[in-house]
mmCIF file of all heavy atoms in Angstrom:
data_model
loop_
_atom_site.group_PDB
_atom_site.id
_atom_site.type_symbol
_atom_site.label_atom_id
_atom_site.label_comp_id
_atom_site.label_asym_id
_atom_site.label_seq_id
_atom_site.Cartn_x
_atom_site.Cartn_y
_atom_site.Cartn_z
ATOM 1 N N GLY A 201 61.340 138.399 -20.814
ATOM 2 C CA GLY A 201 60.872 139.760 -20.590
ATOM 3 C C GLY A 201 61.826 140.792 -21.170
ATOM 4 O O GLY A 201 61.398 141.786 -21.766
ATOM 5 N N LYS A 202 63.108 140.558 -20.994
ATOM 6 C CA LYS A 202 64.086 141.505 -21.527
ATOM 7 C C LYS A 202 64.148 141.417 -23.056
ATOM 8 O O LYS A 202 64.295 142.433 -23.744
ATOM 9 C CB LYS A 202 65.461 141.235 -20.916
ATOM 10 C CG LYS A 202 66.433 142.385 -21.142
ATOM 11 C CD LYS A 202 67.598 142.336 -20.197
ATOM 12 C CE LYS A 202 68.478 143.559 -20.377
ATOM 13 N NZ LYS A 202 69.636 143.578 -19.475
ATOM 14 N N MET A 203 64.023 140.200 -23.586
ATOM 15 C CA MET A 203 63.963 140.049 -25.044
ATOM 16 C C MET A 203 62.777 140.842 -25.603
ATOM 17 O O MET A 203 62.898 141.532 -26.613
ATOM 18 C CB MET A 203 63.812 138.578 -25.422
ATOM 19 C CG MET A 203 65.091 137.774 -25.414
ATOM 20 S SD MET A 203 64.765 136.114 -26.067
ATOM 21 C CE MET A 203 66.432 135.477 -26.165
ATOM 22 N N ARG A 204 61.636 140.711 -24.941
ATOM 23 C CA ARG A 204 60.436 141.425 -25.385
ATOM 24 C C ARG A 204 60.658 142.933 -25.338
ATOM 25 O O ARG A 204 60.273 143.663 -26.261
ATOM 26 C CB ARG A 204 59.253 141.029 -24.485
ATOM 27 C CG ARG A 204 58.042 141.938 -24.535
ATOM 28 C CD ARG A 204 57.449 142.075 -25.910
ATOM 29 N NE ARG A 204 56.997 140.801 -26.431
ATOM 30 C CZ ARG A 204 56.617 140.613 -27.696
ATOM 31 N NH1 ARG A 204 56.664 141.617 -28.553
ATOM 32 N NH2 ARG A 204 56.219 139.425 -28.110
ATOM 33 N N GLY A 205 61.301 143.417 -24.284
ATOM 34 C CA GLY A 205 61.580 144.845 -24.174
ATOM 35 C C GLY A 205 62.464 145.345 -25.301
ATOM 36 O O GLY A 205 62.200 146.397 -25.899
ATOM 37 N N LEU A 206 63.515 144.598 -25.630
ATOM 38 C CA LEU A 206 64.417 144.997 -26.712
ATOM 39 C C LEU A 206 63.702 144.975 -28.057
ATOM 40 O O LEU A 206 63.944 145.832 -28.914
ATOM 41 C CB LEU A 206 65.641 144.073 -26.740
ATOM 42 C CG LEU A 206 66.566 144.162 -25.517
ATOM 43 C CD1 LEU A 206 67.693 143.140 -25.626
ATOM 44 C CD2 LEU A 206 67.152 145.570 -25.359
ATOM 45 N N LEU A 207 62.823 144.003 -28.243
ATOM 46 C CA LEU A 207 62.039 143.952 -29.481
ATOM 47 C C LEU A 207 61.105 145.153 -29.572
ATOM 48 O O LEU A 207 60.982 145.778 -30.632
ATOM 49 C CB LEU A 207 61.240 142.646 -29.549
ATOM 50 C CG LEU A 207 60.222 142.526 -30.694
ATOM 51 C CD1 LEU A 207 60.898 142.742 -32.042
ATOM 52 C CD2 LEU A 207 59.536 141.159 -30.649
ATOM 53 N N ASP A 208 60.455 145.509 -28.467
ATOM 54 C CA ASP A 208 59.563 146.675 -28.461
ATOM 55 C C ASP A 208 60.329 147.953 -28.783
ATOM 56 O O ASP A 208 59.834 148.828 -29.509
ATOM 57 C CB ASP A 208 58.882 146.805 -27.100
ATOM 58 C CG ASP A 208 57.821 145.724 -26.875
ATOM 59 O OD1 ASP A 208 57.372 145.120 -27.867
ATOM 60 O OD2 ASP A 208 57.456 145.496 -25.711
ATOM 61 N N ILE A 209 61.538 148.057 -28.246
ATOM 62 C CA ILE A 209 62.362 149.240 -28.502
ATOM 63 C C ILE A 209 62.737 149.321 -29.976
ATOM 64 O O ILE A 209 62.693 150.387 -30.597
ATOM 65 C CB ILE A 209 63.619 149.207 -27.604
ATOM 66 C CG1 ILE A 209 63.214 149.574 -26.168
ATOM 67 C CG2 ILE A 209 64.696 150.146 -28.107
ATOM 68 C CD1 ILE A 209 64.268 149.277 -25.138
ATOM 69 N N ALA A 210 63.099 148.182 -30.567
ATOM 70 C CA ALA A 210 63.422 148.159 -31.995
ATOM 71 C C ALA A 210 62.209 148.538 -32.837
ATOM 72 O O ALA A 210 62.342 149.171 -33.892
ATOM 73 C CB ALA A 210 63.922 146.773 -32.389
ATOM 74 N N SER A 211 61.030 148.177 -32.358
ATOM 75 C CA SER A 211 59.802 148.434 -33.110
ATOM 76 C C SER A 211 59.469 149.919 -33.210
ATOM 77 O O SER A 211 58.737 150.325 -34.119
ATOM 78 C CB SER A 211 58.626 147.690 -32.470
ATOM 79 O OG SER A 211 58.849 146.291 -32.485
ATOM 80 N N VAL A 212 59.980 150.735 -32.270
ATOM 81 C CA VAL A 212 59.733 152.182 -32.334
ATOM 82 C C VAL A 212 60.914 152.927 -32.936
ATOM 83 O O VAL A 212 60.999 154.147 -32.871
ATOM 84 C CB VAL A 212 59.400 152.763 -30.939
ATOM 85 C CG1 VAL A 212 58.123 152.170 -30.399
ATOM 86 C CG2 VAL A 212 60.545 152.575 -29.960
ATOM 87 N N GLY A 213 61.830 152.167 -33.519
ATOM 88 C CA GLY A 213 62.932 152.788 -34.246
ATOM 89 C C GLY A 213 64.170 153.087 -33.437
ATOM 90 O O GLY A 213 65.065 153.793 -33.901
ATOM 91 N N LYS A 214 64.255 152.563 -32.220
ATOM 92 C CA LYS A 214 65.444 152.775 -31.398
ATOM 93 C C LYS A 214 66.403 151.593 -31.540
ATOM 94 O O LYS A 214 65.998 150.478 -31.893
ATOM 95 C CB LYS A 214 65.053 152.938 -29.930
ATOM 96 C CG LYS A 214 64.350 154.258 -29.612
ATOM 97 C CD LYS A 214 65.307 155.430 -29.678
ATOM 98 C CE LYS A 214 64.668 156.709 -29.186
ATOM 99 N NZ LYS A 214 65.618 157.843 -29.205
ATOM 100 N N ASN A 215 67.669 151.830 -31.234
ATOM 101 C CA ASN A 215 68.672 150.770 -31.287
ATOM 102 C C ASN A 215 68.661 150.006 -29.960
ATOM 103 O O ASN A 215 69.034 150.572 -28.930
ATOM 104 C CB ASN A 215 70.051 151.375 -31.531
ATOM 105 C CG ASN A 215 71.140 150.316 -31.621
ATOM 106 O OD1 ASN A 215 70.856 149.111 -31.560
ATOM 107 N ND2 ASN A 215 72.379 150.746 -31.767
ATOM 108 N N PRO A 216 68.242 148.737 -29.965
ATOM 109 C CA PRO A 216 68.146 148.004 -28.696
ATOM 110 C C PRO A 216 69.488 147.773 -28.022
ATOM 111 O O PRO A 216 69.542 147.539 -26.811
ATOM 112 C CB PRO A 216 67.497 146.676 -29.103
ATOM 113 C CG PRO A 216 67.799 146.535 -30.543
ATOM 114 C CD PRO A 216 67.814 147.928 -31.100
ATOM 115 N N LEU A 217 70.576 147.874 -28.793
ATOM 116 C CA LEU A 217 71.897 147.683 -28.190
ATOM 117 C C LEU A 217 72.162 148.739 -27.122
ATOM 118 O O LEU A 217 72.845 148.473 -26.129
ATOM 119 C CB LEU A 217 72.978 147.730 -29.273
ATOM 120 C CG LEU A 217 74.385 147.314 -28.855
ATOM 121 C CD1 LEU A 217 74.383 145.876 -28.332
ATOM 122 C CD2 LEU A 217 75.354 147.448 -30.012
ATOM 123 N N ASP A 218 71.588 149.926 -27.294
ATOM 124 C CA ASP A 218 71.758 151.001 -26.312
ATOM 125 C C ASP A 218 71.088 150.662 -24.975
ATOM 126 O O ASP A 218 71.417 151.245 -23.946
ATOM 127 C CB ASP A 218 71.174 152.309 -26.849
ATOM 128 C CG ASP A 218 71.910 152.808 -28.081
ATOM 129 O OD1 ASP A 218 73.076 152.421 -28.262
ATOM 130 O OD2 ASP A 218 71.307 153.561 -28.872
ATOM 131 N N PHE A 219 70.127 149.740 -25.022
ATOM 132 C CA PHE A 219 69.357 149.391 -23.827
ATOM 133 C C PHE A 219 69.746 148.014 -23.280
ATOM 134 O O PHE A 219 69.168 147.555 -22.306
ATOM 135 C CB PHE A 219 67.862 149.381 -24.152
ATOM 136 C CG PHE A 219 67.313 150.714 -24.590
ATOM 137 C CD1 PHE A 219 67.472 151.158 -25.891
ATOM 138 C CD2 PHE A 219 66.634 151.538 -23.704
ATOM 139 C CE1 PHE A 219 66.961 152.384 -26.302
ATOM 140 C CE2 PHE A 219 66.125 152.766 -24.103
ATOM 141 C CZ PHE A 219 66.296 153.186 -25.402
ATOM 142 N N HIS A 220 70.723 147.369 -23.923
ATOM 143 C CA HIS A 220 71.030 145.966 -23.637
ATOM 144 C C HIS A 220 71.458 145.731 -22.195
ATOM 145 O O HIS A 220 71.141 144.692 -21.605
ATOM 146 C CB HIS A 220 72.114 145.477 -24.605
ATOM 147 C CG HIS A 220 72.329 144.001 -24.595
ATOM 148 N ND1 HIS A 220 73.245 143.377 -23.784
ATOM 149 C CD2 HIS A 220 71.727 143.010 -25.287
ATOM 150 C CE1 HIS A 220 73.214 142.074 -23.980
ATOM 151 N NE2 HIS A 220 72.288 141.819 -24.895
ATOM 152 N N ASN A 221 72.156 146.685 -21.614
ATOM 153 C CA ASN A 221 72.680 146.495 -20.252
ATOM 154 C C ASN A 221 71.739 146.982 -19.158
ATOM 155 O O ASN A 221 72.092 146.937 -17.983
ATOM 156 C CB ASN A 221 74.040 147.196 -20.122
ATOM 157 C CG ASN A 221 75.102 146.524 -20.979
ATOM 158 O OD1 ASN A 221 75.110 145.301 -21.122
ATOM 159 N ND2 ASN A 221 75.992 147.314 -21.568
ATOM 160 N N MET A 222 70.559 147.463 -19.519
ATOM 161 C CA MET A 222 69.576 147.866 -18.516
ATOM 162 C C MET A 222 69.032 146.634 -17.807
ATOM 163 O O MET A 222 68.839 145.591 -18.420
ATOM 164 C CB MET A 222 68.399 148.601 -19.176
ATOM 165 C CG MET A 222 68.630 150.070 -19.459
ATOM 166 S SD MET A 222 67.086 150.842 -20.040
ATOM 167 C CE MET A 222 67.622 152.549 -20.195
ATOM 168 N N ASP A 223 68.755 146.779 -16.509
ATOM 169 C CA ASP A 223 68.071 145.683 -15.834
ATOM 170 C C ASP A 223 66.621 145.648 -16.319
ATOM 171 O O ASP A 223 66.118 146.615 -16.904
ATOM 172 C CB ASP A 223 68.125 145.843 -14.313
ATOM 173 C CG ASP A 223 67.426 147.105 -13.835
ATOM 174 O OD1 ASP A 223 66.189 147.103 -13.782
ATOM 175 O OD2 ASP A 223 68.116 148.099 -13.546
ATOM 176 N N GLU A 224 65.950 144.534 -16.064
ATOM 177 C CA GLU A 224 64.629 144.322 -16.664
ATOM 178 C C GLU A 224 63.607 145.358 -16.207
ATOM 179 O O GLU A 224 62.774 145.822 -16.997
ATOM 180 C CB GLU A 224 64.135 142.917 -16.328
ATOM 181 C CG GLU A 224 62.916 142.507 -17.131
ATOM 182 C CD GLU A 224 62.641 141.017 -17.068
ATOM 183 O OE1 GLU A 224 63.573 140.253 -16.725
ATOM 184 O OE2 GLU A 224 61.500 140.618 -17.348
ATOM 185 N N GLN A 225 63.672 145.780 -14.956
ATOM 186 C CA GLN A 225 62.717 146.758 -14.435
ATOM 187 C C GLN A 225 62.898 148.119 -15.106
ATOM 188 O O GLN A 225 61.928 148.775 -15.498
ATOM 189 C CB GLN A 225 62.905 146.883 -12.913
ATOM 190 C CG GLN A 225 61.729 147.502 -12.197
ATOM 191 C CD GLN A 225 61.902 147.469 -10.684
ATOM 192 O OE1 GLN A 225 63.021 147.340 -10.181
ATOM 193 N NE2 GLN A 225 60.807 147.595 -9.960
ATOM 194 N N THR A 226 64.154 148.547 -15.233
ATOM 195 C CA THR A 226 64.435 149.826 -15.891
ATOM 196 C C THR A 226 64.065 149.767 -17.360
ATOM 197 O O THR A 226 63.519 150.728 -17.924
ATOM 198 C CB THR A 226 65.923 150.197 -15.725
ATOM 199 O OG1 THR A 226 66.265 150.182 -14.338
ATOM 200 C CG2 THR A 226 66.216 151.569 -16.302
ATOM 201 N N LEU A 227 64.356 148.634 -17.986
ATOM 202 C CA LEU A 227 64.024 148.459 -19.397
ATOM 203 C C LEU A 227 62.521 148.558 -19.619
ATOM 204 O O LEU A 227 62.049 149.213 -20.560
ATOM 205 C CB LEU A 227 64.535 147.107 -19.892
ATOM 206 C CG LEU A 227 64.273 146.764 -21.364
ATOM 207 C CD1 LEU A 227 64.987 147.745 -22.276
ATOM 208 C CD2 LEU A 227 64.712 145.341 -21.672
ATOM 209 N N LYS A 228 61.760 147.960 -18.733
ATOM 210 C CA LYS A 228 60.303 148.017 -18.839
ATOM 211 C C LYS A 228 59.806 149.455 -18.728
ATOM 212 O O LYS A 228 58.912 149.878 -19.483
ATOM 213 C CB LYS A 228 59.677 147.150 -17.740
ATOM 214 C CG LYS A 228 58.170 147.028 -17.830
ATOM 215 C CD LYS A 228 57.645 146.076 -16.756
ATOM 216 C CE LYS A 228 56.122 145.946 -16.837
ATOM 217 N NZ LYS A 228 55.596 145.024 -15.799
#
Side-chain angles (χ1 to χ4, degrees):
K202 195 162 185 180
M203 279 187 172
R204 163 58 61 190
L206 294 177
L207 172 56
D208 288 341
I209 285 167
S211 299
V212 297
K214 289 289 188 178
N215 181 3
L217 190 59
D218 296 337
F219 298 81
H220 191 269
N221 293 324
M222 278 187 177
D223 62 78
E224 192 165 340
Q225 198 174 21
T226 306
L227 180 63
K228 185 176 180 180

